[in-house]
Amino acid sequence: MAYPFQLGLQDAASPVMEELLQFHDHALMIVFLISSLVLYIITLMLTTKLTHTSTMDAQEVETIWTVLPAVILIMIALPSLRILYMMDEINNPSLTVKTMGHQWYWSYEYTDYEDLNFDSYMIPTPDLKPGELRLLEVDNRMVLPMQMTIRMLVSSEDVLHSWAVPSLGLKTDAIPGRLNQTTLMSTRPGLFYGQCSEICGSNHSFMPIVLELVPLENFEKWSTSML
């Protein structure tokens, strides 16, 4: 999860988020190089009184500053399209979980089980135990197996919500009357926090998401105890 004064993105816990981090660094380096070049040219123009007349009206220079931006845009677009297709691809999910947004809590239903569903409310600040995080802890965490492909079905029963977990690279809109889907897979166990990322009313800030990723045998024990 994020920590105070953090400048970068959260540590990746899924293959998709690792790709997003690499693309972020790739695009940021291109922006840095372009900004440095522009600043250097502006500095030269302001500090020198000489004018190179042949470069002010040259077909070659015009060709370069037309083709070069197009090449840079392609260098950004191709990795971006690749990641978009990766995020939309769903390959034989091992588990399907349906999450519904409400004002202002989440409900989860494990559709592969006959009667495994529950609501997840934020724990009020006075009820927090030592070490628990304010505005991020819930009474019922969503427990999932790690290193397995999981399909999330996201919808809403009232207004627009958005189910987002940054460290897993997930952000899917919950729209009434529409069923969106996304893929989730964690490369390591742990607790992963998220929040509703669409303004949904007065208590929008009070509907957190907590995912507990555990080994498969631990998930089986948990699911058995919940049935």
Side-chain angles (χ1 to χ4, degrees):
M1 61 171 294
Y3 54 85
F5 303 106
Q6 179 175 339
L7 296 179
L9 301 174
Q10 296 185 24
D11 292 339
S14 70
V16 170
M17 189 57 188
E18 290 176 2
E19 294 286 341
L20 289 172
L21 282 174
Q22 291 180 2
F23 176 69
H24 170 268
D25 296 341
H26 168 73
L28 199 62
M29 184 57 63
I30 292 176
V31 171
F32 174 76
L33 292 175
I34 293 174
S35 302
S36 300
L37 178 62
V38 171
L39 183 62
Y40 173 71
I41 294 174
I42 291 174
T43 304
L44 283 182
M45 292 177 64
L46 294 176
T47 55
T48 181
K49 296 181 180 179
L50 300 177
T51 302
H52 201 298
T53 55
S54 62
T55 56
M56 296 299 291
D57 185 22
Q59 189 70 36
E60 295 80 6
V61 176
E62 292 183 5
T63 303
I64 290 173
W65 73 42
T66 302
V67 173
L68 192 59
V71 173
I72 293 173
L73 289 176
I74 292 173
M75 290 173 60
I76 296 175
L78 292 181
S80 175
L81 290 173
R82 173 175 167 271
I83 296 174
L84 280 175
Y85 280 105
M86 282 181 58
M87 295 174 70
D88 280 341
E89 191 173 352
I90 296 179
N91 292 322
N92 299 323
S94 305
L95 181 68
T96 299
V97 181
K98 183 171 72 175
T99 175
M100 298 290 292
H102 308 265
Q103 287 181 312
W104 288 268
Y105 65 96
W106 297 98
S107 61
Y108 300 103
E109 179 184 349
Y110 292 71
T111 58
D112 298 289
Y113 294 82
E114 186 175 350
D115 189 23
L116 181 52
N117 54 77
F118 53 85
D119 296 330
S120 181
Y121 289 86
M122 186 195 75
I123 299 177
T125 302
D127 299 336
L128 289 174
K129 298 176 182 178
E132 291 185 336
L133 302 169
R134 179 177 172 271
L135 301 183
L136 287 178
E137 295 292 347
V138 296
D139 55 356
N140 291 311
R141 296 169 176 168
M142 185 170 70
V143 181
L144 296 172
M146 57 175 283
Q147 295 180 338
M148 295 182 67
T149 303
I150 299 164
R151 176 171 56 193
M152 294 297 304
L153 303 177
V154 184
S155 187
S156 171
E157 284 200 350
D158 36 50
V159 298
L160 290 175
H161 300 279
S162 185
W163 197 80
V165 184
S167 56
L168 295 174
L170 297 174
K171 186 179 186 297
T172 304
D173 288 340
I175 303 172
R178 180 187 176 99
L179 200 62
N180 290 328
Q181 69 176 4
T182 186
T183 308
L184 182 159
M185 187 177 75
S186 173
T187 55
R188 55 186 170 88
L191 289 177
F192 304 102
Y193 294 88
Q195 289 178 304
C196 177
S197 297
E198 187 75 40
I199 296 176
C200 56
S202 58
N203 289 340
H204 159 68
S205 304
F206 307 119
M207 46 186 306
I209 302 160
V210 182
L211 272 60
E212 184 174 351
L213 276 299
V214 298
L216 179 59
E217 53 269 21
N218 294 45
F219 172 75
E220 291 175 341
K221 293 178 183 177
W222 172 84
S223 59
T224 303
S225 66
M226 292 289 288
L227 294 174

Short mmCIF file of all heavy atoms in Angstrom, two decimals, residues 5 10 25 27 36 48-49 56 88 93 104 106 124 128 130 136 154 163 173 177 179 184 193 200 202 215 221 225:
data_model
loop_
_atom_site.label_atom_id
_atom_site.label_comp_id
_atom_site.label_asym_id
_atom_site.label_seq_id
_atom_site.Cartn_x
_atom_site.Cartn_y
_atom_site.Cartn_z
N PHE A 5 4.13 10.63 1.87
CA PHE A 5 5.07 11.34 1.00
C PHE A 5 5.60 10.48 -0.14
O PHE A 5 6.67 10.73 -0.68
CB PHE A 5 6.24 11.91 1.81
CG PHE A 5 5.82 12.83 2.92
CD1 PHE A 5 5.87 12.42 4.24
CD2 PHE A 5 5.37 14.11 2.64
CE1 PHE A 5 5.47 13.26 5.26
CE2 PHE A 5 4.96 14.96 3.65
CZ PHE A 5 5.01 14.55 4.97
N GLN A 10 2.61 2.38 -6.31
CA GLN A 10 2.76 1.32 -5.34
C GLN A 10 3.51 0.14 -5.95
O GLN A 10 3.52 -0.06 -7.16
CB GLN A 10 1.39 0.86 -4.84
CG GLN A 10 0.61 1.94 -4.09
CD GLN A 10 -0.68 1.40 -3.51
OE1 GLN A 10 -0.82 0.21 -3.28
NE2 GLN A 10 -1.64 2.29 -3.29
N ASP A 25 7.57 4.06 -16.56
CA ASP A 25 8.97 4.49 -16.61
C ASP A 25 9.40 4.79 -18.04
O ASP A 25 10.16 5.73 -18.28
CB ASP A 25 9.87 3.41 -15.99
CG ASP A 25 9.59 3.21 -14.50
OD1 ASP A 25 9.00 4.12 -13.89
OD2 ASP A 25 9.96 2.15 -13.97
N ALA A 27 7.48 5.79 -20.62
CA ALA A 27 6.89 7.06 -21.08
C ALA A 27 7.52 8.25 -20.35
O ALA A 27 7.74 9.31 -20.96
CB ALA A 27 5.38 7.04 -20.84
N SER A 36 14.13 17.99 -21.78
CA SER A 36 15.53 18.43 -21.72
C SER A 36 15.96 19.06 -23.04
O SER A 36 16.64 20.09 -23.06
CB SER A 36 16.44 17.24 -21.37
OG SER A 36 16.09 16.69 -20.14
N THR A 48 22.43 33.17 -27.26
CA THR A 48 23.30 33.46 -28.40
C THR A 48 22.65 34.49 -29.31
O THR A 48 21.43 34.51 -29.47
CB THR A 48 23.63 32.18 -29.19
OG1 THR A 48 24.49 32.51 -30.28
CG2 THR A 48 22.37 31.55 -29.74
N LYS A 49 23.47 35.35 -29.90
CA LYS A 49 22.98 36.36 -30.82
C LYS A 49 23.16 35.96 -32.28
O LYS A 49 22.75 36.66 -33.19
CB LYS A 49 23.71 37.69 -30.58
CG LYS A 49 23.44 38.27 -29.19
CD LYS A 49 24.17 39.59 -29.00
CE LYS A 49 23.90 40.17 -27.62
NZ LYS A 49 24.60 41.45 -27.39
N MET A 56 17.49 27.93 -40.72
CA MET A 56 16.18 28.54 -40.54
C MET A 56 15.24 28.22 -41.69
O MET A 56 14.03 28.32 -41.56
CB MET A 56 16.33 30.07 -40.41
CG MET A 56 17.12 30.50 -39.17
SD MET A 56 16.32 29.99 -37.64
CE MET A 56 14.88 31.04 -37.66
N ASP A 88 -7.42 -6.88 -20.94
CA ASP A 88 -8.74 -7.35 -21.35
C ASP A 88 -8.80 -8.86 -21.54
O ASP A 88 -9.90 -9.43 -21.62
CB ASP A 88 -9.17 -6.68 -22.66
CG ASP A 88 -9.71 -5.28 -22.43
OD1 ASP A 88 -10.09 -4.99 -21.28
OD2 ASP A 88 -9.73 -4.48 -23.37
N PRO A 93 -10.31 -18.72 -16.24
CA PRO A 93 -10.21 -18.36 -14.82
C PRO A 93 -10.50 -19.54 -13.91
O PRO A 93 -11.37 -20.37 -14.19
CB PRO A 93 -11.26 -17.26 -14.66
CG PRO A 93 -12.22 -17.48 -15.79
CD PRO A 93 -11.40 -18.03 -16.93
N TRP A 104 -23.10 2.65 1.20
CA TRP A 104 -21.74 2.78 0.73
C TRP A 104 -20.94 1.61 1.30
O TRP A 104 -20.31 1.71 2.34
CB TRP A 104 -21.14 4.11 1.19
CG TRP A 104 -21.73 5.30 0.47
CD1 TRP A 104 -21.22 5.84 -0.68
CD2 TRP A 104 -22.90 6.04 0.78
NE1 TRP A 104 -22.02 6.91 -1.08
CE2 TRP A 104 -23.06 7.05 -0.20
CE3 TRP A 104 -23.86 5.97 1.80
CZ2 TRP A 104 -24.11 7.95 -0.19
CZ3 TRP A 104 -24.91 6.86 1.80
CH2 TRP A 104 -25.03 7.85 0.80
N TRP A 106 -19.42 -2.67 -0.13
CA TRP A 106 -19.28 -3.64 -1.21
C TRP A 106 -19.86 -4.98 -0.76
O TRP A 106 -19.77 -5.34 0.42
CB TRP A 106 -17.82 -3.83 -1.60
CG TRP A 106 -17.17 -2.60 -2.14
CD1 TRP A 106 -16.37 -1.72 -1.46
CD2 TRP A 106 -17.23 -2.11 -3.49
NE1 TRP A 106 -15.95 -0.72 -2.29
CE2 TRP A 106 -16.47 -0.92 -3.54
CE3 TRP A 106 -17.87 -2.54 -4.65
CZ2 TRP A 106 -16.31 -0.17 -4.70
CZ3 TRP A 106 -17.73 -1.80 -5.80
CH2 TRP A 106 -16.96 -0.64 -5.83
N PRO A 124 -15.52 1.50 11.59
CA PRO A 124 -15.45 2.88 12.10
C PRO A 124 -14.18 3.13 12.91
O PRO A 124 -13.64 2.20 13.53
CB PRO A 124 -16.70 3.00 12.98
CG PRO A 124 -17.61 1.90 12.52
CD PRO A 124 -16.71 0.79 12.05
N LEU A 128 -11.40 0.57 15.65
CA LEU A 128 -10.14 0.03 15.11
C LEU A 128 -9.27 -0.54 16.22
O LEU A 128 -9.20 0.01 17.33
CB LEU A 128 -9.38 1.14 14.37
CG LEU A 128 -9.97 1.60 13.03
CD1 LEU A 128 -9.17 2.78 12.50
CD2 LEU A 128 -9.98 0.47 12.00
N PRO A 130 -5.30 -1.72 17.48
CA PRO A 130 -3.95 -1.18 17.25
C PRO A 130 -3.31 -1.79 16.01
O PRO A 130 -3.33 -3.00 15.80
CB PRO A 130 -3.19 -1.60 18.52
CG PRO A 130 -4.25 -1.72 19.57
CD PRO A 130 -5.47 -2.24 18.85
N LEU A 136 -9.45 2.34 5.89
CA LEU A 136 -9.05 1.29 4.94
C LEU A 136 -9.42 -0.12 5.40
O LEU A 136 -9.45 -1.04 4.58
CB LEU A 136 -7.54 1.35 4.67
CG LEU A 136 -7.04 2.50 3.80
CD1 LEU A 136 -5.53 2.45 3.67
CD2 LEU A 136 -7.68 2.46 2.42
N VAL A 154 -17.99 -7.04 -11.97
CA VAL A 154 -18.22 -5.82 -11.19
C VAL A 154 -19.47 -5.11 -11.70
O VAL A 154 -19.62 -4.87 -12.90
CB VAL A 154 -17.00 -4.86 -11.30
CG1 VAL A 154 -17.21 -3.64 -10.41
CG2 VAL A 154 -15.72 -5.58 -10.91
N TRP A 163 -14.37 -0.05 -8.66
CA TRP A 163 -13.65 -1.01 -7.83
C TRP A 163 -12.18 -0.97 -8.21
O TRP A 163 -11.80 -1.39 -9.31
CB TRP A 163 -14.25 -2.40 -8.06
CG TRP A 163 -13.91 -3.41 -7.02
CD1 TRP A 163 -14.48 -3.58 -5.79
CD2 TRP A 163 -12.91 -4.44 -7.12
NE1 TRP A 163 -13.90 -4.63 -5.13
CE2 TRP A 163 -12.94 -5.17 -5.92
CE3 TRP A 163 -12.00 -4.78 -8.11
CZ2 TRP A 163 -12.09 -6.24 -5.70
CZ3 TRP A 163 -11.16 -5.85 -7.89
CH2 TRP A 163 -11.20 -6.58 -6.70
N ASP A 173 -15.08 0.11 -13.47
CA ASP A 173 -16.29 0.85 -13.10
C ASP A 173 -17.42 -0.11 -12.76
O ASP A 173 -17.63 -1.12 -13.43
CB ASP A 173 -16.72 1.77 -14.24
CG ASP A 173 -15.79 2.96 -14.41
OD1 ASP A 173 -15.06 3.28 -13.44
OD2 ASP A 173 -15.77 3.55 -15.50
N GLY A 177 -26.94 -1.96 -13.91
CA GLY A 177 -27.46 -2.57 -15.12
C GLY A 177 -26.42 -3.07 -16.09
O GLY A 177 -26.77 -3.56 -17.16
N LEU A 179 -22.63 -5.36 -16.42
CA LEU A 179 -21.70 -6.27 -15.75
C LEU A 179 -20.34 -6.16 -16.42
O LEU A 179 -20.15 -6.65 -17.54
CB LEU A 179 -22.23 -7.70 -15.82
CG LEU A 179 -21.67 -8.70 -14.79
CD1 LEU A 179 -22.02 -8.27 -13.38
CD2 LEU A 179 -22.22 -10.09 -15.07
N LEU A 184 -7.75 -10.83 -12.34
CA LEU A 184 -6.93 -10.57 -11.15
C LEU A 184 -6.02 -11.76 -10.92
O LEU A 184 -6.46 -12.91 -10.98
CB LEU A 184 -7.86 -10.34 -9.97
CG LEU A 184 -7.31 -10.00 -8.58
CD1 LEU A 184 -8.43 -9.33 -7.77
CD2 LEU A 184 -6.83 -11.22 -7.82
N TYR A 193 -4.91 -3.10 -0.43
CA TYR A 193 -5.97 -2.15 -0.11
C TYR A 193 -6.36 -1.34 -1.34
O TYR A 193 -5.53 -1.00 -2.17
CB TYR A 193 -5.52 -1.19 1.00
CG TYR A 193 -5.29 -1.87 2.33
CD1 TYR A 193 -4.05 -2.42 2.66
CD2 TYR A 193 -6.31 -1.95 3.28
CE1 TYR A 193 -3.83 -3.04 3.88
CE2 TYR A 193 -6.11 -2.57 4.50
CZ TYR A 193 -4.86 -3.11 4.80
OH TYR A 193 -4.66 -3.72 6.00
N CYS A 200 -19.48 8.84 -5.47
CA CYS A 200 -20.76 8.14 -5.44
C CYS A 200 -21.68 8.64 -4.34
O CYS A 200 -22.63 7.95 -3.98
CB CYS A 200 -20.53 6.64 -5.29
SG CYS A 200 -19.55 6.19 -3.83
N SER A 202 -22.25 11.09 -0.47
CA SER A 202 -21.64 11.73 0.69
C SER A 202 -20.63 10.84 1.40
O SER A 202 -19.67 11.33 1.98
CB SER A 202 -22.74 12.14 1.68
OG SER A 202 -23.51 11.01 2.07
N PRO A 215 -2.18 -18.65 0.05
CA PRO A 215 -1.99 -19.89 -0.72
C PRO A 215 -3.30 -20.66 -0.87
O PRO A 215 -4.24 -20.48 -0.10
CB PRO A 215 -0.97 -20.67 0.13
CG PRO A 215 -0.24 -19.62 0.90
CD PRO A 215 -1.26 -18.55 1.19
N LYS A 221 -9.40 -23.82 3.18
CA LYS A 221 -9.82 -23.89 4.59
C LYS A 221 -10.78 -22.75 4.92
O LYS A 221 -11.79 -22.95 5.61
CB LYS A 221 -8.59 -23.84 5.50
CG LYS A 221 -7.69 -25.05 5.41
CD LYS A 221 -6.46 -24.89 6.32
CE LYS A 221 -5.53 -26.07 6.18
NZ LYS A 221 -4.29 -25.89 7.01
N SER A 225 -14.79 -23.03 6.00
CA SER A 225 -15.30 -22.48 7.27
C SER A 225 -16.43 -21.48 7.05
O SER A 225 -17.25 -21.28 7.95
CB SER A 225 -14.15 -21.79 8.02
OG SER A 225 -13.70 -20.64 7.31
#
